[in-house]
Amino acid sequence: MVWSALFTRMPSAARYRYCIAFRLVPVAQHSEARPRPGNLMNLQKLVLARKSIIGEFPASMTRLTRLAYLDIGGNDLDPGPIPSFFAHFTLLEHLNLSNTRRCGEIPDWIGSLPKLRKLNLSDNQLVGSLPESLAQLSYLECLYIKNNPGLRGHIPLSLDTLPLLAGFRFDASQFNNVPVRLVSLSTQ
């Protein structure tokens, strides 16, 4: 399913104005049309994991600035970097982009998502080192970056000071000088 086909033929924008959660479930072929993401201005939770979605992120997604939970993991999206418009999703607490063919470096702005608790970037083609800005995520509980063979270098020592960090997966990546506490989190 292509992103653009997923959010087309919406009958009435006003009908979805107060929608705060959207989860794609299997529906009959002739069922009611689905809402476009740009018309879901109050959307707080979007779950589209493992729904065989292909293509690019739709431009209308940039208007979903009230999102707190975004899970699109396990979709065969067009290869590309982590979209920069996610930097405006300052209410995000959960971001799952695992296995979505993300490539390039983990952007520095990721540290400016002040409420982020869970970040899953596993099973992509990310490269470079972890940005120091991750240490600004004082509510971060889980950071999953495993199976990104291009991630290398050191893990910022400041990550070890994140008080709530309880899950850290990096098993297939190639890092050096990993703080002992972070190593122990990866084996739990």
Side-chain angles (χ1 to χ4, degrees), residues 89-176:
F89 294 179
T90 57
L91 300 177
L92 265 182
E93 295 178 14
H94 177 104
L95 178 59
N96 182 2
L97 296 175
S98 66
N99 199 17
T100 56
R101 299 179 7 155
R102 299 304 86 211
C103 57
E105 295 185 351
I106 298 174
D108 197 46
W109 57 255
I110 207 102
S112 66
L113 300 175
K115 297 182 179 229
L116 199 60
R117 293 184 180 279
K118 183 172 184 181
L119 177 60
N120 190 344
L121 302 174
S122 297
D123 303 306
N124 283 297
Q125 297 299 316
L126 297 169
V127 298
S129 59
L130 295 181
E132 294 282 342
S133 66
L134 286 171
Q136 297 170 15
L137 300 173
S138 58
Y139 293 107
L140 192 65
E141 297 170 2
C142 300
L143 175 60
Y144 301 138
I145 55 171
K146 65 181 183 172
N147 297 328
N148 281 290
L151 286 178
R152 305 183 179 281
H154 75 285
I155 291 181
L157 293 175
S158 51
L159 281 183
D160 194 25
T161 64
L162 292 174
L164 302 176
L165 191 63
F168 182 61
R169 302 288 184 267
F170 65 100
D171 54 4
S173 300
Q174 300 176 357
F175 292 100
N176 51 41

